[in-house]
Amino acid sequence: MLNKYLKVVLSSALLISLITSFSEKAKAQVLVNDTYTDGGRTNGVDPLDISWFGISSNFDQTVSTPSQIQLGVVDDPILGTGNALNLGTPSFVTFNSSFLPAHFAIGTFAPVSLGNNIGDALDLSFDFRFTTEPSLSTTSAEFPQIRGSGLRFGLYNSGDTPITTDILASLVGSGTPIEDDGGYLVLSGLAGTSSLGVNKENFGSGDSITGGNGNVQLASTTSVPTINDTAPHTANLVLERLSPQLVRLTASVDGFSIETSDSGSGIISSFNEIAVRSVFSNLNVNIDNVVLQTLTSTSVPEPSTNIAIFGLGLGWLLKRKLNRFIK
């Protein structure tokens, strides 16, 4: 009879311990959820959607036709909700392959900061697909040296000059609002080039973001597939607080990821912009289901605490069962 009671006691105490061990570790709050169902690219009637602006530049040694990126909401049921934001990258030619005109989209939202507690995180994700296959030509405007970063996306802080309209300027020393921004950038390879990287762009570089003068590589890998098609893909960037002076960055495309970190006083932890860019000439990309959420760390008992709870539960139940047995 005592063995029977002991089995009941142990089972009950084990259940208590397991419930405690698998308690929720983080609480999520969605800040952005843009699906473009209202048909517009500005902050409209959809809950949690944001405003998107086109940022374009032409240098003396480059020519783009049209002169700037074209943004518009299009029907694309392949990405899941029917509508998507089309980034119409113009055709361009350049007389110096080191000077590629920047054409990208910036989505703006109210500033959000990475939490200060260990485990706090910011999570950016979206779906995308190219409307035509990335060119494999070595003689076209898709220069081989940029294929390892043909798709670029990231989280940025606008500094003291938030974006409020489309911009068409040189974006190099012209004093436009985009030149003082800083943030973290993900670069994904296209057209036969297998590559995934994470870069940091420092504030006040006096140049365009998504690959300007303030650009510093944090990590890169070639152990990922390339993208050569018009199929749907997923993109993700997560920033997680490891300590007051250390942040882990995890970037992934289609689940293939790279992990790196940033540390010290230069950590960028506040953001109000999402950037997306197709670097190839005339390679349009659709994006949809853009989600930005915070993950806030909650208290989870340490293993020693679980053991203590287990022991207390075991002692209480054992006493109760033995008293009944003695009677």
Coordinates of all heavy atoms in Angstrom, one line a residue, residues 143-209:
F143 N 26.6 42.9 -61.5 CA 28.0 42.6 -61.5 C 28.3 41.5 -60.5 O 27.7 41.4 -59.4 CB 28.7 43.9 -61.0 CG 28.5 45.1 -61.9 CD1 27.6 46.1 -61.6 CD2 29.2 45.2 -63.1 CE1 27.4 47.1 -62.4 CE2 29.0 46.2 -64.0 CZ 28.1 47.2 -63.6
P144 N 29.2 40.6 -60.8 CA 29.4 39.5 -60.0 C 29.8 39.8 -58.5 O 29.4 39.1 -57.6 CB 30.6 38.8 -60.7 CG 30.5 39.2 -62.1 CD 29.9 40.6 -62.1
Q145 N 30.4 41.0 -58.3 CA 30.8 41.3 -57.0 C 29.7 41.7 -56.0 O 29.9 41.8 -54.8 CB 31.9 42.5 -57.0 CG 31.4 43.8 -57.5 CD 31.6 43.9 -59.0 OE1 31.6 43.0 -59.7 NE2 31.9 45.1 -59.4
I146 N 28.5 41.9 -56.6 CA 27.4 42.3 -55.7 C 26.4 41.1 -55.5 O 25.4 41.3 -54.9 CB 26.6 43.5 -56.2 CG1 25.9 43.2 -57.5 CG2 27.5 44.7 -56.3 CD1 25.0 44.3 -58.0
R147 N 26.7 40.0 -56.2 CA 25.7 38.9 -56.1 C 25.6 38.3 -54.7 O 24.6 37.7 -54.3 CB 26.1 37.8 -57.1 CG 25.9 38.2 -58.5 CD 26.2 37.2 -59.5 NE 25.9 37.6 -60.8 CZ 26.1 36.9 -61.9 NH1 26.6 35.7 -61.9 NH2 25.8 37.4 -63.1
G148 N 26.7 38.5 -53.9 CA 26.6 38.0 -52.5 C 25.8 38.8 -51.6 O 25.6 38.5 -50.4
S149 N 25.3 40.0 -52.1 CA 24.5 40.8 -51.3 C 23.3 41.4 -52.2 O 22.9 42.5 -52.0 CB 25.3 42.0 -50.8 OG 25.9 42.8 -51.8
G150 N 22.8 40.5 -53.0 CA 21.7 41.0 -53.9 C 20.4 41.4 -53.3 O 19.7 42.3 -53.8
L151 N 20.1 40.8 -52.1 CA 19.0 41.2 -51.3 C 19.5 41.7 -50.0 O 20.3 41.0 -49.4 CB 18.0 40.0 -51.1 CG 16.8 40.3 -50.1 CD1 15.8 41.3 -50.8 CD2 16.2 39.1 -49.6
R152 N 19.0 42.9 -49.6 CA 19.5 43.5 -48.3 C 18.2 43.9 -47.5 O 17.3 44.5 -48.1 CB 20.4 44.6 -48.6 CG 21.6 44.3 -49.5 CD 22.5 45.5 -49.7 NE 23.6 45.2 -50.7 CZ 24.6 46.0 -51.0 NH1 24.6 47.2 -50.4 NH2 25.5 45.6 -51.9
F153 N 18.3 43.7 -46.2 CA 17.2 44.2 -45.3 C 17.8 44.4 -44.0 O 18.8 43.8 -43.6 CB 16.0 43.2 -45.3 CG 16.4 41.8 -44.7 CD1 16.1 41.6 -43.4 CD2 16.8 40.8 -45.5 CE1 16.4 40.3 -42.8 CE2 17.1 39.5 -45.0 CZ 16.9 39.3 -43.6
G154 N 17.1 45.2 -43.2 CA 17.6 45.5 -41.8 C 16.7 46.4 -41.0 O 15.7 46.9 -41.5
L155 N 17.2 46.6 -39.8 CA 16.5 47.5 -38.8 C 17.5 48.7 -38.6 O 18.7 48.6 -38.4 CB 16.3 46.8 -37.5 CG 15.1 45.9 -37.4 CD1 15.2 45.1 -36.1 CD2 13.8 46.7 -37.5
Y156 N 16.9 49.9 -38.7 CA 17.6 51.2 -38.6 C 17.0 52.2 -37.6 O 15.8 52.1 -37.4 CB 17.8 51.8 -40.0 CG 18.8 51.1 -40.9 CD1 18.4 50.1 -41.7 CD2 20.1 51.5 -40.9 CE1 19.3 49.4 -42.5 CE2 21.0 50.8 -41.7 CZ 20.6 49.8 -42.5 OH 21.5 49.1 -43.3
N157 N 17.9 53.1 -37.2 CA 17.4 54.3 -36.5 C 17.7 55.5 -37.3 O 18.8 55.6 -37.8 CB 18.2 54.3 -35.1 CG 17.8 55.5 -34.2 OD1 17.7 56.6 -34.6 ND2 17.5 55.1 -33.0
S158 N 16.7 56.4 -37.4 CA 16.8 57.5 -38.3 C 17.7 58.6 -37.8 O 17.9 59.7 -38.4 CB 15.4 58.1 -38.6 OG 14.8 58.6 -37.5
G159 N 18.2 58.4 -36.6 CA 19.0 59.5 -36.0 C 18.1 60.7 -35.6 O 17.0 60.5 -35.1
D160 N 18.5 61.9 -35.9 CA 17.7 63.1 -35.6 C 16.9 63.5 -36.8 O 16.3 64.6 -36.8 CB 18.7 64.2 -35.2 CG 19.4 63.9 -33.9 OD1 18.8 63.2 -33.0 OD2 20.6 64.3 -33.7
T161 N 16.9 62.8 -37.9 CA 16.2 63.2 -39.1 C 15.3 62.1 -39.6 O 15.7 61.4 -40.6 CB 17.2 63.6 -40.2 OG1 18.1 62.5 -40.4 CG2 18.0 64.8 -39.8
P162 N 14.1 61.9 -39.1 CA 13.2 60.9 -39.6 C 12.7 61.1 -41.0 O 12.6 62.3 -41.5 CB 12.0 61.0 -38.6 CG 12.1 62.4 -38.1 CD 13.5 62.8 -38.0
I163 N 12.5 60.0 -41.7 CA 12.0 60.1 -43.1 C 10.5 60.3 -43.1 O 9.7 59.7 -42.4 CB 12.3 58.8 -43.8 CG1 13.8 58.4 -43.7 CG2 11.9 58.9 -45.3 CD1 14.7 59.4 -44.2
T164 N 10.1 61.3 -43.9 CA 8.7 61.6 -44.0 C 8.2 61.7 -45.4 O 7.0 61.9 -45.7 CB 8.4 63.0 -43.3 OG1 9.2 64.0 -44.0 CG2 8.7 63.0 -41.8
T165 N 9.1 61.5 -46.4 CA 8.7 61.5 -47.8 C 9.6 60.7 -48.7 O 10.7 60.3 -48.2 CB 8.6 63.0 -48.3 OG1 8.1 63.1 -49.6 CG2 10.0 63.6 -48.3
D166 N 9.3 60.4 -49.9 CA 10.2 59.8 -50.8 C 11.4 60.7 -51.0 O 11.3 62.0 -51.0 CB 9.6 59.6 -52.2 CG 8.4 58.6 -52.1 OD1 8.4 57.8 -51.1 OD2 7.5 58.6 -53.0
I167 N 12.6 60.1 -51.3 CA 13.8 60.9 -51.5 C 14.5 60.5 -52.8 O 14.7 59.4 -53.1 CB 14.8 60.7 -50.3 CG1 14.2 61.2 -49.0 CG2 16.1 61.4 -50.6 CD1 15.1 61.0 -47.8
L168 N 14.8 61.5 -53.6 CA 15.6 61.4 -54.7 C 16.8 62.3 -54.7 O 16.6 63.6 -54.8 CB 14.8 61.6 -56.0 CG 15.6 61.6 -57.3 CD1 16.3 60.2 -57.5 CD2 14.7 61.8 -58.5
A169 N 18.0 61.9 -54.4 CA 19.1 62.7 -54.2 C 20.4 61.9 -54.4 O 20.3 60.7 -54.6 CB 19.1 63.4 -52.9
S170 N 21.5 62.5 -54.3 CA 22.8 61.8 -54.5 C 23.1 60.9 -53.3 O 23.7 59.9 -53.5 CB 24.0 62.8 -54.7 OG 24.2 63.5 -53.5
L171 N 22.6 61.3 -52.1 CA 22.8 60.5 -50.9 C 24.2 60.3 -50.5 O 24.6 59.4 -49.8 CB 22.1 59.1 -51.0 CG 20.6 59.1 -51.3 CD1 20.1 57.6 -51.2 CD2 19.9 59.9 -50.3
V172 N 25.1 61.2 -51.0 CA 26.5 61.2 -50.6 C 26.8 62.7 -50.4 O 27.1 63.4 -51.3 CB 27.4 60.6 -51.7 CG1 28.9 60.7 -51.3 CG2 27.0 59.2 -52.0
G173 N 26.9 63.0 -49.1 CA 27.3 64.4 -48.7 C 26.3 65.4 -49.1 O 26.6 66.6 -49.2
S174 N 25.0 65.0 -49.4 CA 24.0 66.0 -49.8 C 23.1 66.5 -48.7 O 22.2 67.3 -48.8 CB 23.1 65.4 -50.9 OG 22.5 64.2 -50.5
G175 N 23.4 65.9 -47.5 CA 22.6 66.4 -46.3 C 21.2 65.8 -46.2 O 20.4 66.4 -45.5
T176 N 20.9 64.8 -46.9 CA 19.5 64.2 -46.9 C 19.3 63.5 -45.6 O 20.3 63.0 -44.9 CB 19.3 63.3 -48.1 OG1 20.3 62.2 -48.0 CG2 19.4 64.0 -49.4
P177 N 18.1 63.3 -45.1 CA 17.8 62.7 -43.8 C 18.4 61.3 -43.7 O 18.6 60.8 -42.6 CB 16.3 62.6 -43.8 CG 15.9 63.8 -44.6 CD 16.9 63.8 -45.8
I178 N 18.6 60.6 -44.8 CA 19.0 59.2 -44.7 C 20.5 59.0 -44.4 O 20.9 57.9 -44.0 CB 18.7 58.5 -46.1 CG1 18.6 57.0 -45.9 CG2 19.8 58.8 -47.1 CD1 17.3 56.6 -45.2
E179 N 21.3 60.1 -44.4 CA 22.7 60.0 -44.3 C 23.2 59.8 -42.9 O 24.4 59.4 -42.7 CB 23.4 61.2 -45.0 CG 23.2 61.2 -46.5 CD 24.0 62.3 -47.1 OE1 25.0 62.7 -46.6 OE2 23.5 62.8 -48.2
D180 N 22.4 60.1 -41.9 CA 22.9 60.0 -40.5 C 22.3 58.8 -39.8 O 22.5 58.6 -38.6 CB 22.5 61.3 -39.7 CG 21.0 61.5 -39.6 OD1 20.3 60.8 -40.3 OD2 20.6 62.3 -38.8
D181 N 21.6 57.9 -40.6 CA 21.0 56.7 -40.0 C 22.0 55.7 -39.6 O 23.1 55.6 -40.2 CB 20.0 56.1 -40.9 CG 18.9 57.1 -41.3 OD1 19.0 58.3 -41.0 OD2 17.9 56.6 -41.9
G182 N 21.7 54.8 -38.6 CA 22.5 53.7 -38.2 C 21.7 52.5 -37.9 O 20.5 52.6 -37.6
G183 N 22.2 51.3 -38.1 CA 21.5 50.1 -37.8 C 22.2 48.8 -38.2 O 23.4 48.8 -38.4
Y184 N 21.5 47.7 -38.3 CA 22.0 46.4 -38.7 C 21.4 45.9 -40.0 O 20.2 46.0 -40.2 CB 21.7 45.4 -37.6 CG 22.4 45.8 -36.2 CD1 21.7 46.3 -35.2 CD2 23.8 45.6 -36.1 CE1 22.3 46.6 -34.0 CE2 24.4 46.0 -34.9 CZ 23.6 46.5 -33.8 OH 24.3 46.8 -32.7
L185 N 22.2 45.4 -40.8 CA 21.9 45.0 -42.2 C 22.2 43.6 -42.5 O 23.3 43.1 -42.2 CB 22.7 45.9 -43.2 CG 22.5 45.7 -44.7 CD1 21.1 46.0 -45.2 CD2 23.5 46.5 -45.5
V186 N 21.2 42.9 -43.1 CA 21.4 41.5 -43.6 C 21.6 41.5 -45.1 O 20.9 42.2 -45.8 CB 20.2 40.6 -43.2 CG1 20.5 39.2 -43.6 CG2 20.0 40.7 -41.7
L187 N 22.6 40.7 -45.6 CA 22.9 40.6 -47.0 C 22.8 39.2 -47.4 O 23.4 38.3 -46.8 CB 24.3 41.1 -47.3 CG 24.6 42.6 -46.8 CD1 25.3 42.5 -45.4 CD2 25.5 43.3 -47.8
S188 N 22.0 38.9 -48.4 CA 21.7 37.5 -48.9 C 22.1 37.4 -50.4 O 21.8 38.3 -51.2 CB 20.2 37.2 -48.8 OG 20.0 35.9 -49.2
G189 N 22.8 36.3 -50.7 CA 23.3 36.1 -52.1 C 22.2 35.6 -53.0 O 21.3 34.9 -52.7
L190 N 22.4 36.0 -54.3 CA 21.5 35.7 -55.4 C 22.2 35.2 -56.6 O 23.5 35.2 -56.6 CB 20.7 36.9 -55.8 CG 19.9 37.7 -54.8 CD1 19.2 38.9 -55.4 CD2 18.9 36.8 -54.0
A191 N 21.5 34.6 -57.5 CA 22.0 34.2 -58.9 C 23.3 33.4 -58.8 O 24.3 33.7 -59.4 CB 22.3 35.5 -59.6
G192 N 23.2 32.3 -58.1 CA 24.3 31.3 -58.0 C 25.3 31.6 -56.9 O 26.2 30.8 -56.7
T193 N 25.2 32.7 -56.2 CA 26.1 33.0 -55.1 C 25.5 32.7 -53.8 O 24.5 33.2 -53.4 CB 26.5 34.5 -55.2 OG1 27.1 34.8 -56.4 CG2 27.5 34.8 -54.0
S194 N 26.1 31.7 -53.1 CA 25.6 31.3 -51.8 C 26.3 32.2 -50.7 O 27.5 32.0 -50.5 CB 25.9 29.8 -51.5 OG 25.3 29.0 -52.5
S195 N 25.5 33.0 -50.1 CA 26.1 33.9 -49.1 C 25.0 34.5 -48.2 O 23.9 34.7 -48.6 CB 26.9 35.1 -49.8 OG 27.4 36.0 -48.9
L196 N 25.4 34.7 -46.9 CA 24.5 35.3 -46.0 C 25.4 36.1 -45.0 O 26.3 35.5 -44.4 CB 23.6 34.3 -45.2 CG 22.6 34.9 -44.3 CD1 21.5 35.7 -45.0 CD2 21.9 33.7 -43.5
G197 N 25.1 37.3 -44.7 CA 26.0 38.1 -43.9 C 25.2 39.1 -43.0 O 24.0 39.4 -43.3
V198 N 25.8 39.6 -42.0 CA 25.3 40.6 -41.1 C 26.3 41.7 -41.0 O 27.4 41.5 -40.7 CB 24.9 40.1 -39.7 CG1 24.3 41.2 -38.8 CG2 23.9 38.9 -39.8
N199 N 25.8 43.0 -41.3 CA 26.7 44.1 -41.2 C 26.1 45.2 -40.2 O 24.9 45.1 -40.0 CB 26.9 44.8 -42.6 CG 27.8 44.0 -43.5 OD1 28.0 42.8 -43.3 ND2 28.3 44.6 -44.5
K200 N 26.9 46.0 -39.7 CA 26.5 47.2 -38.9 C 26.8 48.4 -39.7 O 27.8 48.6 -40.3 CB 27.2 47.2 -37.6 CG 26.9 48.3 -36.7 CD 27.7 48.2 -35.4 CE 27.4 49.4 -34.5 NZ 28.2 49.3 -33.2
E201 N 25.8 49.4 -39.7 CA 26.1 50.7 -40.3 C 26.0 51.7 -39.2 O 25.0 51.9 -38.5 CB 25.0 50.9 -41.4 CG 25.2 49.9 -42.5 CD 24.6 50.4 -43.8 OE1 25.3 51.2 -44.5 OE2 23.5 50.0 -44.2
N202 N 27.1 52.4 -39.1 CA 27.3 53.4 -38.0 C 26.6 54.7 -38.4 O 26.4 55.1 -39.5 CB 28.7 53.7 -37.7 CG 29.4 52.5 -37.2 OD1 29.0 51.9 -36.2 ND2 30.5 52.0 -37.8
F203 N 26.2 55.4 -37.3 CA 25.5 56.7 -37.5 C 26.4 57.7 -38.1 O 27.7 57.7 -37.9 CB 25.0 57.2 -36.2 CG 23.9 56.5 -35.6 CD1 24.1 55.5 -34.6 CD2 22.6 56.7 -36.0 CE1 23.1 54.8 -34.0 CE2 21.5 56.0 -35.4 CZ 21.8 55.0 -34.4
G204 N 25.8 58.7 -38.9 CA 26.6 59.8 -39.3 C 27.7 59.6 -40.3 O 28.7 60.3 -40.4
S205 N 27.5 58.6 -41.2 CA 28.5 58.2 -42.2 C 28.6 59.2 -43.4 O 29.5 59.3 -44.1 CB 28.3 56.8 -42.8 OG 27.1 56.8 -43.6
G206 N 27.5 60.0 -43.5 CA 27.5 61.0 -44.6 C 27.2 60.3 -46.0 O 27.6 60.8 -47.0
D207 N 26.6 59.1 -45.9 CA 26.4 58.3 -47.1 C 25.1 57.5 -46.9 O 24.5 57.5 -45.9 CB 27.6 57.3 -47.3 CG 27.6 56.6 -48.6 OD1 26.7 57.0 -49.5 OD2 28.5 55.8 -48.9
S208 N 24.6 56.9 -48.0 CA 23.4 56.1 -48.0 C 23.6 54.9 -47.1 O 24.7 54.4 -46.9 CB 23.1 55.6 -49.4 OG 22.1 54.7 -49.4
I209 N 22.5 54.5 -46.5 CA 22.5 53.2 -45.8 C 22.3 52.0 -46.7 O 22.2 52.3 -47.9 CB 21.4 53.2 -44.6 CG1 20.0 53.4 -45.2 CG2 21.8 54.2 -43.6 CD1 18.9 53.2 -44.2

